[in-house]
Amino acid sequence: MNYLKEIAQNALMRLPVVQRFAMRRHSTGLNNDEPAARKTYEFMTRFGAVKDKDVLELGPGQTLLLMHQALADGAHSCVAVDIADYFTARREEQKNVRLCIYDGQSIPLQSSSVDLIWSNDVFEHFRYPQDMVRECFRVLRSGGTMVAVVDVRDHYESEERKFSNNLHHPTWLWNLMKWNRSAFTNRVRYSEWLTMFDRIGFECVEKEPYVLPALQAEYRKRPDLQRWSEEDISARGFHVVLRKP
Ligand SMILES: C[S@@+](CC[C@H](N)C(=O)[O-])C[C@H]1O[C@@H](n2cnc3c(N)ncnc32)[C@H](O)[C@@H]1O
């Protein structure tokens, strides 16, 4: 990795003109792909029907299809919050979905105002993970459910055995290289997320790590990875279903 180049690119990303240029080239995952969005919607609704519910999606990126489907299925309201606005030139696509762009730290909603929170491949991008988990707890009503699908892979690597490479760098250097980039990942591991959810007061209804054999093999031969557990290194991601008591 060319550290100086990474640091320079990260610094450039603070410039609004560079940000706007980069955003046009972003892939945000579902990218408005209807079959993929339908699959994600079906997954989310396995853990709670939307009828008459107030639904919040964290980080929809370029895809409001989950929110539209929830409204079509009788959700009382749908709000999406993101730190980047992919709809500046596509306002008409929002239809009845409220989209709030915010600082990524304090969700601009009242306490106990939503019944369901969904997020697909977003938690790993939180710059302030603890604050965000606390905020999710705050805005969720008692008895409400949060479903989070989290992709903890190194977003700059495509080879499976290298998916934990983002752990090599100290936090200060990682942030200096990546903080402003859309593919920034906070590198919080599976067990650390579970501890955070528990400490903040969520009850865990379901959890499933997505273990990759290639990462398991990598863990077993790498002394530098031993300060994490095998599960934390070999999970390329996970989902959790959490309830606010
Ligand atoms: C990988 S994309 C996923 C987009 C969409 N959920 C999907 O599956 O296609 C991550 C999204 O999370 C957003 N994001 C990052 N930090 C966030 C935060 N603190 N709150 C809400 N959204 C955030 C990013 O701007 C981006 O739109």
Side-chain angles (χ1 to χ4, degrees):
M1 186 177 281
N2 184 333
Y3 293 109
L4 281 178
K5 184 172 157 239
E6 290 289 327
I7 293 168
Q9 275 185 0
N10 185 54
L12 274 176
M13 282 305 298
R14 284 184 67 97
L15 302 174
V17 61
V18 180
Q19 266 171 27
R20 281 196 298 275
F21 179 74
M23 265 181 89
R24 291 208 294 267
R25 299 153 58 107
H26 284 172
S27 156
T28 54
L30 296 176
N31 271 327
N32 269 327
D33 178 273
E34 285 194 28
R38 172 154 294 280
K39 233 169 116 187
T40 304
Y41 179 77
E42 280 163 12
F43 178 78
M44 296 293 174
T45 48
R46 261 176 47 196
F47 308 105
V50 296
K51 179 122 182 62
D52 299 327
K53 297 284 167 46
D54 294 309
V55 187
L56 163 65
E57 182 176 1
L58 302 173
Q62 320 198 31
T63 310
L64 288 176
L65 296 174
L66 274 62
M67 299 277 86
H68 290 315
Q69 193 56 50
L71 285 173
D73 289 346
H76 176 254
S77 72
C78 283
V79 56
V81 299
D82 205 309
I83 59 167
D85 190 353
Y86 290 96
F87 288 87
T88 42
R90 300 161 53 197
R91 282 288 166 237
E92 71 291 351
E93 285 180 45
Q94 271 181 242
K95 297 180 191 159
N96 292 332
V97 176
R98 197 175 137 211
L99 175 65
C100 302
I101 305 304
Y102 76 122
D103 61 3
Q105 201 168 12
S106 311
I107 300 177
L109 297 181
Q110 289 190 345
S111 300
S112 302
S113 58
V114 299
D115 305 291
L116 292 170
I117 300 179
W118 295 340
S119 76
N120 188 54
D121 295 346
V122 176
F123 272 58
E124 68 274 17
H125 297 290
F126 289 164
R127 271 62 173 184
Y128 308 97
Q130 292 232 26
D131 291 350
M132 283 302 300
V133 175
R134 207 172 287 116
E135 280 291 277
C136 290
F137 191 82
R138 180 184 67 77
V139 300
L140 197 58
R141 292 193 177 109
S142 177
T145 301
M146 175 158 85
V147 186
V149 178
V150 187
D151 174 0
V152 301
R153 288 174 301 175
D154 184 330
H155 283 42
Y156 294 88
E157 295 289 355
S158 51
E159 230 183 300
E160 286 188 353
R161 68 181 179 86
K162 294 185 178 172
F163 283 169
S164 296
N165 275 10
N166 56 356
L167 297 174
H168 294 174
H169 313 285
T171 303
W172 67 267
L173 179 57
W174 181 252
N175 290 347
L176 203 56
M177 296 191 295
K178 307 290 186 191
W179 185 265
N180 304 320
R181 323 256 311 248
S182 66
F184 165 85
T185 52
N186 50 44
R187 310 183 301 164
V188 176
R189 307 313 289 180
Y190 176 53
S191 70
E192 295 167 333
W193 282 115
L194 295 182
T195 303
M196 221 186 294
F197 296 137
D198 181 57
R199 286 215 179 116
I200 284 166
F202 280 107
E203 282 173 10
C204 188
V205 176
E206 178 173 314
K207 55 182 198 284
E208 187 181 335
Y210 308 148
V211 170
L212 274 182
L215 282 173
Q216 257 170 340
E218 192 68 5
Y219 179 75
R220 288 173 191 159
K221 64 180 188 220
R222 289 271 302 277
D224 59 314
L225 293 176
Q226 300 306 309
R227 62 193 168 106
W228 290 277
S229 69
E230 179 169 325
E231 190 174 52
D232 272 345
I233 293 301
S234 55
R236 65 163 174 81
F238 64 91
H239 75 256
V240 279
V241 182
L242 305 163
R243 198 179 148 274
K244 179 170 172 178

